[in-house]
Structure formats: C-alpha cells, structure tokens
Short mmCIF file of all heavy atoms in Angstrom, two decimals:
data_model
loop_
_atom_site.label_atom_id
_atom_site.label_comp_id
_atom_site.label_asym_id
_atom_site.label_seq_id
_atom_site.Cartn_x
_atom_site.Cartn_y
_atom_site.Cartn_z
N MET A 347 -26.72 11.84 -19.89
CA MET A 347 -26.27 12.64 -21.08
C MET A 347 -27.36 12.54 -22.21
O MET A 347 -27.84 11.44 -22.48
CB MET A 347 -24.93 12.13 -21.59
CG MET A 347 -24.52 12.72 -22.91
SD MET A 347 -23.18 11.83 -23.71
CE MET A 347 -21.78 12.40 -22.84
N LYS A 348 -27.64 13.72 -22.76
CA LYS A 348 -28.51 13.71 -23.94
C LYS A 348 -27.65 14.27 -25.08
O LYS A 348 -26.84 15.16 -24.91
CB LYS A 348 -29.72 14.55 -23.71
CG LYS A 348 -30.67 13.89 -22.76
CD LYS A 348 -32.01 14.64 -22.72
CE LYS A 348 -32.90 13.96 -21.67
NZ LYS A 348 -33.64 14.88 -20.89
N VAL A 349 -27.96 13.76 -26.30
CA VAL A 349 -27.19 14.25 -27.44
C VAL A 349 -28.10 14.56 -28.59
O VAL A 349 -29.13 13.84 -28.83
CB VAL A 349 -26.11 13.22 -27.82
CG1 VAL A 349 -26.72 11.92 -28.25
CG2 VAL A 349 -25.16 13.74 -28.91
N THR A 350 -27.87 15.61 -29.30
CA THR A 350 -28.63 15.96 -30.49
C THR A 350 -27.64 16.34 -31.61
O THR A 350 -26.48 16.63 -31.32
CB THR A 350 -29.57 17.13 -30.26
OG1 THR A 350 -28.81 18.23 -29.68
CG2 THR A 350 -30.68 16.77 -29.28
N ILE A 351 -28.12 16.31 -32.84
CA ILE A 351 -27.37 16.72 -33.97
C ILE A 351 -27.98 17.98 -34.53
O ILE A 351 -29.13 18.00 -34.81
CB ILE A 351 -27.31 15.63 -35.03
CG1 ILE A 351 -26.53 14.46 -34.50
CG2 ILE A 351 -26.68 16.14 -36.33
CD1 ILE A 351 -26.52 13.21 -35.38
N ASP A 352 -27.14 19.01 -34.73
CA ASP A 352 -27.61 20.23 -35.39
C ASP A 352 -27.68 19.92 -36.91
O ASP A 352 -26.67 19.85 -37.55
CB ASP A 352 -26.65 21.37 -35.08
CG ASP A 352 -27.13 22.70 -35.64
OD1 ASP A 352 -27.84 22.69 -36.68
OD2 ASP A 352 -26.84 23.75 -35.04
N LYS A 353 -28.92 19.80 -37.40
CA LYS A 353 -29.08 19.35 -38.77
C LYS A 353 -28.60 20.42 -39.79
O LYS A 353 -28.30 20.16 -40.93
CB LYS A 353 -30.50 19.00 -39.04
CG LYS A 353 -30.92 17.77 -38.22
CD LYS A 353 -32.17 17.17 -38.76
CE LYS A 353 -32.60 15.93 -37.96
NZ LYS A 353 -31.58 14.91 -37.88
N ASP A 354 -28.52 21.71 -39.31
CA ASP A 354 -28.01 22.75 -40.21
C ASP A 354 -26.50 22.65 -40.41
O ASP A 354 -25.97 23.09 -41.42
CB ASP A 354 -28.39 24.09 -39.62
CG ASP A 354 -29.87 24.39 -39.73
OD1 ASP A 354 -30.55 23.79 -40.59
OD2 ASP A 354 -30.38 25.16 -38.87
N LEU A 355 -25.83 22.06 -39.40
CA LEU A 355 -24.35 21.99 -39.45
C LEU A 355 -23.93 20.61 -39.99
O LEU A 355 -22.88 20.52 -40.61
CB LEU A 355 -23.78 22.16 -38.04
CG LEU A 355 -23.92 23.58 -37.42
CD1 LEU A 355 -23.40 23.58 -36.03
CD2 LEU A 355 -23.17 24.61 -38.29
N CYS A 356 -24.65 19.57 -39.71
CA CYS A 356 -24.24 18.21 -40.06
C CYS A 356 -24.14 18.03 -41.59
O CYS A 356 -25.03 18.46 -42.34
CB CYS A 356 -25.26 17.19 -39.52
SG CYS A 356 -24.87 15.53 -39.95
N ILE A 357 -23.02 17.42 -42.02
CA ILE A 357 -22.84 17.16 -43.42
C ILE A 357 -22.95 15.65 -43.78
O ILE A 357 -22.57 15.21 -44.85
CB ILE A 357 -21.46 17.70 -43.91
CG1 ILE A 357 -20.30 17.16 -43.04
CG2 ILE A 357 -21.40 19.22 -43.83
CD1 ILE A 357 -18.94 17.49 -43.54
N ASP A 358 -23.43 14.90 -42.76
CA ASP A 358 -23.71 13.44 -42.95
C ASP A 358 -22.47 12.75 -43.48
O ASP A 358 -22.57 11.96 -44.44
CB ASP A 358 -24.92 13.29 -43.86
CG ASP A 358 -26.20 13.94 -43.26
OD1 ASP A 358 -26.59 13.60 -42.16
OD2 ASP A 358 -26.73 14.86 -43.90
N CYS A 359 -21.40 12.97 -42.82
CA CYS A 359 -20.08 12.44 -43.28
C CYS A 359 -19.89 10.98 -42.84
O CYS A 359 -19.01 10.28 -43.34
CB CYS A 359 -18.94 13.27 -42.77
SG CYS A 359 -18.74 13.23 -40.97
N GLY A 360 -20.62 10.54 -41.79
CA GLY A 360 -20.49 9.18 -41.30
C GLY A 360 -19.47 8.95 -40.25
O GLY A 360 -19.35 7.83 -39.71
N VAL A 361 -18.71 9.97 -39.85
CA VAL A 361 -17.67 9.80 -38.81
C VAL A 361 -18.31 9.37 -37.45
O VAL A 361 -17.82 8.41 -36.84
CB VAL A 361 -16.85 11.08 -38.65
CG1 VAL A 361 -16.01 11.04 -37.35
CG2 VAL A 361 -15.97 11.28 -39.81
N CYS A 362 -19.37 10.01 -37.01
CA CYS A 362 -19.93 9.68 -35.75
C CYS A 362 -20.53 8.25 -35.77
O CYS A 362 -20.38 7.56 -34.81
CB CYS A 362 -20.94 10.74 -35.27
SG CYS A 362 -22.31 11.01 -36.46
N GLU A 363 -21.13 7.91 -36.84
CA GLU A 363 -21.71 6.56 -36.96
C GLU A 363 -20.52 5.55 -36.88
O GLU A 363 -20.74 4.47 -36.20
CB GLU A 363 -22.48 6.40 -38.23
CG GLU A 363 -23.08 4.99 -38.35
CD GLU A 363 -23.70 4.75 -39.70
OE1 GLU A 363 -23.05 4.98 -40.71
OE2 GLU A 363 -24.88 4.31 -39.76
N ALA A 364 -19.45 5.76 -37.53
CA ALA A 364 -18.33 4.84 -37.49
C ALA A 364 -17.76 4.70 -36.08
O ALA A 364 -17.37 3.61 -35.68
CB ALA A 364 -17.22 5.37 -38.43
N LEU A 365 -17.81 5.82 -35.34
CA LEU A 365 -17.24 5.79 -33.94
C LEU A 365 -18.20 5.15 -32.97
O LEU A 365 -17.79 4.41 -32.03
CB LEU A 365 -16.86 7.21 -33.54
CG LEU A 365 -15.62 7.79 -34.17
CD1 LEU A 365 -15.49 9.27 -33.83
CD2 LEU A 365 -14.37 7.05 -33.74
N VAL A 366 -19.45 5.53 -33.04
CA VAL A 366 -20.44 5.05 -32.06
C VAL A 366 -21.75 4.65 -32.74
O VAL A 366 -22.74 5.32 -32.69
CB VAL A 366 -20.79 6.11 -30.98
CG1 VAL A 366 -21.26 5.49 -29.71
CG2 VAL A 366 -19.58 7.05 -30.69
N PRO A 367 -21.75 3.49 -33.43
CA PRO A 367 -22.90 3.08 -34.19
C PRO A 367 -24.14 2.79 -33.31
O PRO A 367 -25.27 2.78 -33.78
CB PRO A 367 -22.43 1.83 -34.94
CG PRO A 367 -21.26 1.32 -34.15
CD PRO A 367 -20.64 2.55 -33.59
N GLU A 368 -23.91 2.58 -31.98
CA GLU A 368 -25.04 2.37 -31.09
C GLU A 368 -25.90 3.64 -30.94
O GLU A 368 -27.06 3.55 -30.51
CB GLU A 368 -24.54 1.92 -29.70
CG GLU A 368 -23.70 0.64 -29.71
CD GLU A 368 -22.22 0.93 -29.86
OE1 GLU A 368 -21.82 2.00 -30.37
OE2 GLU A 368 -21.43 -0.05 -29.54
N VAL A 369 -25.26 4.76 -31.14
CA VAL A 369 -25.93 6.08 -30.87
C VAL A 369 -26.23 6.83 -32.13
O VAL A 369 -27.29 7.50 -32.24
CB VAL A 369 -25.05 6.95 -29.95
CG1 VAL A 369 -25.62 8.34 -29.75
CG2 VAL A 369 -24.84 6.24 -28.60
N PHE A 370 -25.37 6.75 -33.11
CA PHE A 370 -25.53 7.55 -34.37
C PHE A 370 -25.79 6.61 -35.54
O PHE A 370 -25.04 5.57 -35.70
CB PHE A 370 -24.27 8.43 -34.67
CG PHE A 370 -23.98 9.37 -33.55
CD1 PHE A 370 -22.88 9.11 -32.73
CD2 PHE A 370 -24.65 10.54 -33.34
CE1 PHE A 370 -22.54 9.99 -31.63
CE2 PHE A 370 -24.34 11.39 -32.30
CZ PHE A 370 -23.28 11.12 -31.46
N SER A 371 -26.70 6.95 -36.42
CA SER A 371 -26.94 6.14 -37.57
C SER A 371 -27.43 6.98 -38.75
O SER A 371 -28.25 7.89 -38.57
CB SER A 371 -28.04 5.10 -37.27
OG SER A 371 -28.32 4.31 -38.33
N ILE A 372 -26.92 6.65 -39.92
CA ILE A 372 -27.40 7.30 -41.14
C ILE A 372 -28.62 6.61 -41.60
O ILE A 372 -28.62 5.39 -41.86
CB ILE A 372 -26.31 7.33 -42.22
CG1 ILE A 372 -25.08 8.19 -41.72
CG2 ILE A 372 -26.84 7.93 -43.50
CD1 ILE A 372 -23.94 8.22 -42.70
N ASN A 373 -29.75 7.34 -41.71
CA ASN A 373 -31.00 6.71 -42.10
C ASN A 373 -31.11 6.45 -43.59
O ASN A 373 -30.18 6.80 -44.31
CB ASN A 373 -32.18 7.48 -41.54
CG ASN A 373 -32.32 8.86 -42.19
OD1 ASN A 373 -31.85 9.06 -43.29
ND2 ASN A 373 -33.04 9.75 -41.50
N ASP A 374 -32.19 5.85 -44.00
CA ASP A 374 -32.41 5.46 -45.42
C ASP A 374 -32.38 6.65 -46.35
O ASP A 374 -32.09 6.52 -47.53
CB ASP A 374 -33.72 4.70 -45.60
CG ASP A 374 -33.71 3.38 -44.90
OD1 ASP A 374 -32.59 2.87 -44.59
OD2 ASP A 374 -34.81 2.78 -44.68
N GLU A 375 -32.64 7.84 -45.80
CA GLU A 375 -32.66 9.06 -46.64
C GLU A 375 -31.25 9.72 -46.66
O GLU A 375 -31.11 10.77 -47.29
CB GLU A 375 -33.68 10.05 -46.14
CG GLU A 375 -35.09 9.53 -46.34
CD GLU A 375 -36.15 10.31 -45.61
OE1 GLU A 375 -35.80 11.09 -44.74
OE2 GLU A 375 -37.35 10.11 -45.88
N GLY A 376 -30.29 9.12 -45.95
CA GLY A 376 -28.95 9.62 -45.95
C GLY A 376 -28.67 10.70 -44.91
O GLY A 376 -27.60 11.33 -44.91
N PHE A 377 -29.61 10.81 -43.97
CA PHE A 377 -29.43 11.83 -42.89
C PHE A 377 -28.98 11.14 -41.61
O PHE A 377 -29.49 10.02 -41.31
CB PHE A 377 -30.69 12.64 -42.65
CG PHE A 377 -31.10 13.45 -43.84
CD1 PHE A 377 -32.31 13.20 -44.50
CD2 PHE A 377 -30.28 14.50 -44.31
CE1 PHE A 377 -32.70 13.97 -45.61
CE2 PHE A 377 -30.67 15.27 -45.42
CZ PHE A 377 -31.91 14.99 -46.06
N THR A 378 -28.12 11.74 -40.87
CA THR A 378 -27.65 11.17 -39.62
C THR A 378 -28.60 11.48 -38.46
O THR A 378 -29.06 12.59 -38.32
CB THR A 378 -26.26 11.77 -39.28
OG1 THR A 378 -25.41 11.61 -40.42
CG2 THR A 378 -25.64 11.07 -38.05
N GLU A 379 -28.89 10.41 -37.70
CA GLU A 379 -29.84 10.52 -36.60
C GLU A 379 -29.23 10.01 -35.31
O GLU A 379 -28.35 9.14 -35.36
CB GLU A 379 -31.08 9.64 -36.89
CG GLU A 379 -31.94 10.08 -37.99
CD GLU A 379 -33.12 9.13 -38.16
OE1 GLU A 379 -33.05 7.97 -37.76
OE2 GLU A 379 -34.13 9.59 -38.69
N VAL A 380 -29.72 10.49 -34.21
CA VAL A 380 -29.43 9.89 -32.89
C VAL A 380 -30.43 8.79 -32.65
O VAL A 380 -31.66 9.03 -32.74
CB VAL A 380 -29.50 10.95 -31.79
CG1 VAL A 380 -29.32 10.30 -30.44
CG2 VAL A 380 -28.46 12.03 -32.01
N ILE A 381 -30.01 7.57 -32.42
CA ILE A 381 -30.92 6.47 -32.25
C ILE A 381 -30.96 5.94 -30.85
O ILE A 381 -31.73 5.01 -30.54
CB ILE A 381 -30.57 5.33 -33.20
CG1 ILE A 381 -29.14 4.88 -33.07
CG2 ILE A 381 -30.84 5.73 -34.66
CD1 ILE A 381 -28.76 3.58 -33.80
N LEU A 382 -30.17 6.51 -29.95
CA LEU A 382 -30.20 6.06 -28.55
C LEU A 382 -29.97 7.32 -27.65
O LEU A 382 -28.89 7.84 -27.61
CB LEU A 382 -29.06 5.04 -28.30
CG LEU A 382 -28.99 4.39 -26.99
CD1 LEU A 382 -30.24 3.57 -26.65
CD2 LEU A 382 -27.80 3.45 -26.87
N ASN A 383 -31.03 7.68 -26.96
CA ASN A 383 -31.04 8.92 -26.17
C ASN A 383 -32.03 8.72 -25.00
O ASN A 383 -33.16 8.36 -25.19
CB ASN A 383 -31.49 10.09 -27.09
CG ASN A 383 -30.75 11.33 -26.82
OD1 ASN A 383 -29.84 11.39 -26.02
ND2 ASN A 383 -31.13 12.35 -27.57
N PRO A 384 -31.63 8.99 -23.77
CA PRO A 384 -30.30 9.44 -23.35
C PRO A 384 -29.20 8.38 -23.61
O PRO A 384 -29.50 7.22 -23.78
CB PRO A 384 -30.44 9.75 -21.84
CG PRO A 384 -31.67 8.99 -21.45
CD PRO A 384 -32.57 8.86 -22.65
N VAL A 385 -27.97 8.84 -23.58
CA VAL A 385 -26.82 7.99 -23.85
C VAL A 385 -26.40 7.21 -22.60
O VAL A 385 -26.16 7.87 -21.53
CB VAL A 385 -25.61 8.82 -24.35
CG1 VAL A 385 -24.43 7.91 -24.60
CG2 VAL A 385 -26.00 9.58 -25.63
N PRO A 386 -26.39 5.87 -22.64
CA PRO A 386 -25.97 5.15 -21.45
C PRO A 386 -24.46 5.42 -21.06
O PRO A 386 -23.71 5.81 -21.92
CB PRO A 386 -26.16 3.69 -21.84
CG PRO A 386 -26.30 3.68 -23.32
CD PRO A 386 -26.69 5.01 -23.77
N GLU A 387 -24.23 5.31 -19.80
CA GLU A 387 -22.97 5.62 -19.20
C GLU A 387 -21.78 5.09 -20.01
O GLU A 387 -20.83 5.81 -20.30
CB GLU A 387 -22.92 5.07 -17.75
CG GLU A 387 -21.64 5.42 -17.02
CD GLU A 387 -21.89 6.55 -16.01
OE1 GLU A 387 -23.01 6.66 -15.52
OE2 GLU A 387 -20.92 7.26 -15.79
N GLU A 388 -21.88 3.78 -20.39
CA GLU A 388 -20.71 3.17 -21.04
C GLU A 388 -20.41 3.69 -22.42
O GLU A 388 -19.34 3.41 -23.00
CB GLU A 388 -20.93 1.62 -21.07
CG GLU A 388 -22.11 1.17 -21.89
CD GLU A 388 -23.40 1.07 -21.16
OE1 GLU A 388 -23.53 1.74 -20.05
OE2 GLU A 388 -24.33 0.36 -21.62
N LEU A 389 -21.32 4.49 -23.00
CA LEU A 389 -21.09 5.04 -24.35
C LEU A 389 -20.75 6.52 -24.30
O LEU A 389 -20.46 7.10 -25.35
CB LEU A 389 -22.28 4.79 -25.23
CG LEU A 389 -22.55 3.30 -25.58
CD1 LEU A 389 -23.88 3.18 -26.29
CD2 LEU A 389 -21.45 2.68 -26.38
N GLN A 390 -20.80 7.10 -23.12
CA GLN A 390 -20.66 8.61 -23.06
C GLN A 390 -19.33 9.10 -23.47
O GLN A 390 -19.22 10.10 -24.14
CB GLN A 390 -21.03 9.08 -21.64
CG GLN A 390 -22.53 8.83 -21.35
CD GLN A 390 -22.97 9.34 -19.99
OE1 GLN A 390 -22.15 9.89 -19.24
NE2 GLN A 390 -24.20 9.20 -19.66
N ASP A 391 -18.25 8.38 -23.09
CA ASP A 391 -16.88 8.84 -23.53
C ASP A 391 -16.81 8.80 -25.01
O ASP A 391 -16.21 9.68 -25.65
CB ASP A 391 -15.82 7.99 -22.86
CG ASP A 391 -15.53 8.40 -21.42
OD1 ASP A 391 -16.00 9.44 -21.03
OD2 ASP A 391 -14.86 7.66 -20.72
N ALA A 392 -17.32 7.72 -25.63
CA ALA A 392 -17.26 7.60 -27.05
C ALA A 392 -18.05 8.72 -27.75
O ALA A 392 -17.65 9.21 -28.79
CB ALA A 392 -17.78 6.24 -27.49
N VAL A 393 -19.16 9.08 -27.17
CA VAL A 393 -19.96 10.17 -27.75
C VAL A 393 -19.20 11.52 -27.63
O VAL A 393 -19.22 12.31 -28.57
CB VAL A 393 -21.32 10.28 -27.10
CG1 VAL A 393 -22.05 11.56 -27.45
CG2 VAL A 393 -22.17 9.08 -27.51
N ARG A 394 -18.54 11.70 -26.48
CA ARG A 394 -17.75 12.93 -26.38
C ARG A 394 -16.61 12.97 -27.43
O ARG A 394 -16.30 14.02 -27.98
CB ARG A 394 -17.09 13.02 -24.96
CG ARG A 394 -18.13 13.26 -23.89
CD ARG A 394 -17.46 13.48 -22.49
NE ARG A 394 -18.46 13.44 -21.45
CZ ARG A 394 -18.74 12.40 -20.66
NH1 ARG A 394 -18.02 11.30 -20.81
NH2 ARG A 394 -19.64 12.47 -19.77
N GLU A 395 -15.99 11.81 -27.67
CA GLU A 395 -14.97 11.74 -28.71
C GLU A 395 -15.53 12.06 -30.05
O GLU A 395 -14.94 12.79 -30.89
CB GLU A 395 -14.30 10.36 -28.67
CG GLU A 395 -13.12 10.29 -29.63
CD GLU A 395 -12.59 8.83 -29.81
OE1 GLU A 395 -12.88 8.01 -28.90
OE2 GLU A 395 -11.92 8.58 -30.75
N ALA A 396 -16.69 11.52 -30.35
CA ALA A 396 -17.35 11.79 -31.61
C ALA A 396 -17.60 13.26 -31.84
O ALA A 396 -17.42 13.81 -32.92
CB ALA A 396 -18.62 10.98 -31.75
N ALA A 397 -18.02 13.92 -30.74
CA ALA A 397 -18.29 15.33 -30.78
C ALA A 397 -17.03 16.09 -31.12
O ALA A 397 -17.04 17.12 -31.87
CB ALA A 397 -18.93 15.84 -29.45
N GLU A 398 -15.94 15.61 -30.58
CA GLU A 398 -14.61 16.32 -30.85
C GLU A 398 -14.20 16.03 -32.26
O GLU A 398 -13.60 16.89 -32.93
CB GLU A 398 -13.53 15.83 -29.89
CG GLU A 398 -13.69 16.42 -28.47
CD GLU A 398 -12.65 15.92 -27.54
OE1 GLU A 398 -11.64 15.35 -27.98
OE2 GLU A 398 -12.92 15.97 -26.32
N GLU A 399 -14.48 14.86 -32.80
CA GLU A 399 -14.09 14.50 -34.12
C GLU A 399 -14.96 15.08 -35.21
O GLU A 399 -14.55 15.20 -36.40
CB GLU A 399 -14.05 12.98 -34.29
CG GLU A 399 -13.04 12.25 -33.48
CD GLU A 399 -11.64 12.61 -33.85
OE1 GLU A 399 -11.35 12.78 -35.03
OE2 GLU A 399 -10.74 12.71 -32.95
N CYS A 400 -16.17 15.47 -34.87
CA CYS A 400 -17.08 16.02 -35.84
C CYS A 400 -16.54 17.31 -36.40
O CYS A 400 -16.34 18.27 -35.68
CB CYS A 400 -18.48 16.27 -35.21
SG CYS A 400 -19.61 17.05 -36.34
N ALA A 401 -16.30 17.36 -37.72
CA ALA A 401 -15.62 18.46 -38.35
C ALA A 401 -16.44 19.73 -38.33
O ALA A 401 -15.91 20.83 -38.39
CB ALA A 401 -15.33 18.12 -39.80
N THR A 402 -17.74 19.60 -38.21
CA THR A 402 -18.60 20.82 -38.28
C THR A 402 -19.19 21.15 -36.87
O THR A 402 -20.03 22.05 -36.77
CB THR A 402 -19.76 20.64 -39.25
OG1 THR A 402 -20.57 19.51 -38.82
CG2 THR A 402 -19.23 20.33 -40.66
N GLU A 403 -18.73 20.48 -35.85
CA GLU A 403 -19.23 20.66 -34.48
C GLU A 403 -20.75 20.63 -34.37
O GLU A 403 -21.39 21.43 -33.75
CB GLU A 403 -18.68 22.01 -33.94
CG GLU A 403 -17.17 22.02 -33.92
CD GLU A 403 -16.60 23.30 -33.27
OE1 GLU A 403 -17.35 24.17 -32.84
OE2 GLU A 403 -15.36 23.39 -33.22
N ALA A 404 -21.32 19.66 -35.07
CA ALA A 404 -22.75 19.49 -35.13
C ALA A 404 -23.32 18.68 -33.98
O ALA A 404 -24.54 18.68 -33.85
CB ALA A 404 -23.12 18.85 -36.49
N ILE A 405 -22.47 18.02 -33.23
CA ILE A 405 -22.99 17.19 -32.15
C ILE A 405 -23.07 17.97 -30.89
O ILE A 405 -22.05 18.49 -30.42
CB ILE A 405 -22.05 15.94 -31.97
CG1 ILE A 405 -22.06 15.09 -33.23
CG2 ILE A 405 -22.51 15.13 -30.72
CD1 ILE A 405 -21.08 13.90 -33.20
N ILE A 406 -24.26 18.08 -30.35
CA ILE A 406 -24.52 18.88 -29.18
C ILE A 406 -24.78 17.96 -27.96
O ILE A 406 -25.70 17.18 -28.02
CB ILE A 406 -25.73 19.81 -29.38
CG1 ILE A 406 -25.46 20.76 -30.59
CG2 ILE A 406 -26.02 20.63 -28.11
CD1 ILE A 406 -26.72 21.29 -31.17
N ILE A 407 -23.92 18.11 -26.96
CA ILE A 407 -24.04 17.26 -25.80
C ILE A 407 -24.60 18.02 -24.61
O ILE A 407 -24.21 19.22 -24.39
CB ILE A 407 -22.66 16.68 -25.37
CG1 ILE A 407 -22.18 15.68 -26.45
CG2 ILE A 407 -22.69 16.04 -24.01
CD1 ILE A 407 -20.77 15.19 -26.22
N GLU A 408 -25.55 17.38 -23.97
CA GLU A 408 -26.14 18.02 -22.77
C GLU A 408 -25.85 17.04 -21.65
O GLU A 408 -26.42 15.96 -21.54
CB GLU A 408 -27.65 18.14 -22.96
CG GLU A 408 -28.30 19.09 -22.01
CD GLU A 408 -29.85 19.12 -22.37
OE1 GLU A 408 -30.19 19.17 -23.55
OE2 GLU A 408 -30.63 18.96 -21.40
N GLU A 409 -24.88 17.46 -20.79
CA GLU A 409 -24.50 16.57 -19.68
C GLU A 409 -25.56 16.60 -18.61
O GLU A 409 -26.24 17.56 -18.43
CB GLU A 409 -23.14 17.07 -19.07
CG GLU A 409 -21.98 17.07 -20.10
CD GLU A 409 -21.31 15.72 -20.30
OE1 GLU A 409 -21.72 14.75 -19.61
OE2 GLU A 409 -20.38 15.67 -21.07
N ASP A 410 -25.65 15.48 -17.82
CA ASP A 410 -26.58 15.42 -16.75
C ASP A 410 -26.20 16.37 -15.64
O ASP A 410 -25.05 16.62 -15.43
CB ASP A 410 -26.72 13.99 -16.22
CG ASP A 410 -27.33 13.07 -17.28
OD1 ASP A 410 -28.10 13.53 -18.05
OD2 ASP A 410 -27.00 11.85 -17.21
S1 SF4 B 1672 -19.58 13.52 -37.55
FE1 SF4 B 1672 -20.75 15.45 -37.48
S2 SF4 B 1672 -21.02 16.07 -39.61
FE2 SF4 B 1672 -20.44 13.93 -39.60
S3 SF4 B 1672 -22.33 12.82 -39.67
FE3 SF4 B 1672 -21.74 13.04 -37.50
S4 SF4 B 1672 -22.77 14.87 -36.80
FE4 SF4 B 1672 -22.84 14.90 -39.02
#
C-alpha cells in the first residue's frame, strides 16, 4: 500500500496523525506529511480508517 495526501484538500487538522502517528506527521511548518511509505501490513487497516475519518478526503490510498 502506498499513501499520499492531497495538499490542496488537506486542512492539517491532525486527525490522521492522531490515528496513525507512525505514518502521518505534522511537520515544523504545520503541514501534514506521510513519513512511512509504503505502509507496512500491520498499519494498513489503520491507514484505511484514517482515510475514512479524514473530513476532506485528502488521503489517497493506492492498494498493492
Ligand atoms: S485527516 Fe485529512 S485533513 Fe486532517 S490532517 Fe490528515 S489528511 Fe489532512
């Protein structure tokens, strides 16, 4: 699984970082980044949940 964030849609709300801090992180400039890609198997369900929880549908998942 690969995951990206659509920066035009993301509002840097922190929800995805709260759910999966191993994969999503708000950087020093306040922007949310993917810090682990591809996503390891054990975190994939959590990333799918984060994508569902993202209010702006900014998390784009590319399944293997
Ligand atoms: S949950 Fe969505 S809008 Fe919020 S920081 Fe993550 S990608 Fe951005």
Side-chain angles (χ1 to χ4, degrees):
M347 172 193 281
K348 289 189 183 138
V349 62
T350 51
I351 293 175
D352 186 328
K353 295 197 180 304
D354 291 333
L355 293 176
C356 177
I357 54 172
D358 302 300
C359 67
V361 166
C362 57
E363 182 189 48
L365 288 170
V366 204
E368 300 91 340
V369 174
F370 303 104
S371 179
I372 297 178
N373 66 22
D374 291 344
E375 293 167 347
F377 296 116
T378 308
E379 292 179 335
V380 175
I381 56 171
L382 186 61
N383 220 359
V385 178
E387 183 103 30
E388 63 271 21
L389 294 173
Q390 292 183 0
D391 279 348
V393 167
R394 290 186 192 100
E395 186 188 341
E398 283 176 22
E399 293 296 324
C400 175
T402 63
E403 299 184 3
I405 297 174
I406 301 159
I407 291 174
E408 198 180 314
E409 300 278 359
D410 292 333

